[in-house]
Amino acid sequence: MNLLPSSLRSRVRPTLRLRLTLVYGAVFLLAGLVLLGATYLLFNQQLAQTFDDRYAAPMEPGRSKQLFIKQDGVMLYGDAAVEWLWRQQQELRDAAVTSLLTQGAIALVVVGGAAVALGWWVAGRVLAPLHLVTETARKIAAAPMAERGLHERIALRGPADEVKDLADTFDTMVERLDHSFDGQRRFVANASHELRTPLTLNRALVELAMHRRTASHDVKELGESLLEINARHERLISGLLLLARSEQEVADRSPVDLADIVTHVAAQAAGQAADAKITVYEVVAPAPTTGDALLLERLVHNLVENGIRYNLDDGTGWVRVVSRTVSGDKVEVEVSNTGPAVPPYDVPLLFKPFHRLAGERAVTGTSAGLGLSIVRSVAVAHGGDVRARPREGGGLIVAVSLPRVTARSW
């Protein structure tokens, strides 16, 4: 039974490269031990046979008496000479066997260490394509929007083996998903274009019926209701078109200062804020970036419009819009407002299309529910990101970070 927590087990779990290296090293050491053991047996057997063949004759009965040896100035005869010769044989055999085992063990350790290092290098080379597959999958998964990273490809080069088959299959799967998302965006854009024509025709017919001299008061009231519904549908379709457009990465960029956009949008929203009895505050500082000025203006406009729409209705509400440089390579637009309390778990859902806060004011019926979805898409298309958090006391704080550029690069 493993008593370690799952998070700790994931950190201490050995990698595949380490496991392969250990397997290589264990197999090599086992083979080396078998080889050393076999060498020892064969060497010992051959050594014993050599000594037996060489010294058997002097030790035969009757011949030992003819044997004499001079050792350290002392002459040994007969059995004494045979005994001395036997001791020399044993010492020589023991020295040879000890030398074989010691030197063999040292050589086995040295070569085993080299084999482990070589196994680590070979395992790294073999697993390098898998690391490339993992890194590509991680880039796709880490993209702010699921379909943003689908242009990534492994494009593995090398022999046609199992790993290359895996990489090619992964590329094919991602390519099909990319085509699927592209087709979905094209469908939304085409359908939205097609729907604008009948809505324009409906608006013209309703206005024509309302402005007739014979039109009754009931017909005019019905016409106003139909025009309001028609206008809401037009806003929805325009939002879908803008969402489909903003989900494409911006290729044609021009210099834009977010401070200018904040000032312009705040002036545009002054009438809507006055009608809702909301005060709009501007805190502008230079925030140079590049991109599509119209899309960035729509981004700030949606944030300010949401700040006004989802606010207090007692005349004390406010919206604060800030542009600033937050670091050496980032600029930021932050919009905060008073309003109803927003549960933290509900904040991520606000960036999903057609999601609205519960309990919104009646005037928000004009909303299509695409405001923050468009904000996120525009930010991601410009290489930025969006963060939101509930404001203490009610309301929301939404910050959009974009890449900063210097005036020299303009």
Side-chain angles (χ1 to χ4, degrees), residues 2 4-20 22 120 134 138:
N2 198 335
L4 291 175
S6 58
S7 59
L8 184 58
R9 288 200 304 268
S10 63
R11 290 196 296 267
V12 301
R13 182 179 59 186
T15 62
L16 179 58
R17 183 180 186 183
L18 178 59
R19 294 200 300 269
L20 288 176
L22 293 177
W120 176 265
T134 303
R138 186 177 291 114

Side-chain angles (χ1 to χ4, degrees), residues 91-234:
E91 291 176 2
L92 183 59
R93 177 185 295 179
D94 293 342
V97 171
T98 301
S99 178
L100 171 66
L101 294 178
T102 302
Q103 300 299 328
I106 294 174
L108 182 61
V109 170
V110 173
V111 178
V116 170
L118 181 61
W120 176 265
W121 179 79
V122 171
R125 292 294 300 270
V126 171
L127 295 176
L130 292 181
H131 293 160
L132 184 59
V133 174
T134 303
E135 185 63 26
T136 304
R138 186 177 291 114
K139 289 181 181 178
I140 295 175
M145 300 178 64
E147 64 272 21
R148 287 292 181 185
L150 293 179
H151 64 280
E152 298 285 348
R153 298 292 184 273
I154 300 173
L156 183 64
R157 300 178 181 274
D161 52 14
E162 291 82 354
V163 177
K164 191 173 187 307
D165 289 342
L166 172 63
D168 292 344
T169 304
F170 183 87
D171 284 345
T172 302
M173 178 190 68
V174 172
E175 185 176 4
R176 294 185 64 179
L177 287 175
D178 195 15
H179 290 331
S180 176
F181 278 109
D182 284 341
Q184 183 181 14
R185 284 191 290 265
R186 285 194 297 269
F187 171 78
V188 171
N190 294 335
S192 300
H193 276 296
E194 294 297 327
L195 288 174
R196 296 182 76 173
T197 301
L199 286 177
T200 303
L201 181 60
N202 286 344
R203 185 177 68 250
L205 293 176
V206 171
E207 290 176 347
L208 179 62
M210 290 176 59
H211 290 89
R212 286 181 180 177
R213 293 181 180 180
T214 58
S216 64
H217 180 70
D218 293 339
V219 170
K220 291 182 179 180
E221 286 186 350
L222 177 62
E224 290 177 356
S225 299
L226 291 177
L227 285 177
E228 184 178 351
I229 295 173
N230 200 84
R232 185 178 186 279
H233 289 165
E234 287 179 348

Side-chain angles (χ1 to χ4, degrees), residues 266-280 308 312 315 317 319 361:
Q268 283 186 329
Q272 181 184 359
D275 294 339
K277 298 180 180 180
I278 302 297
T279 304
V280 178
I308 296 173
L312 302 176
V319 175
R361 297 185 338 187

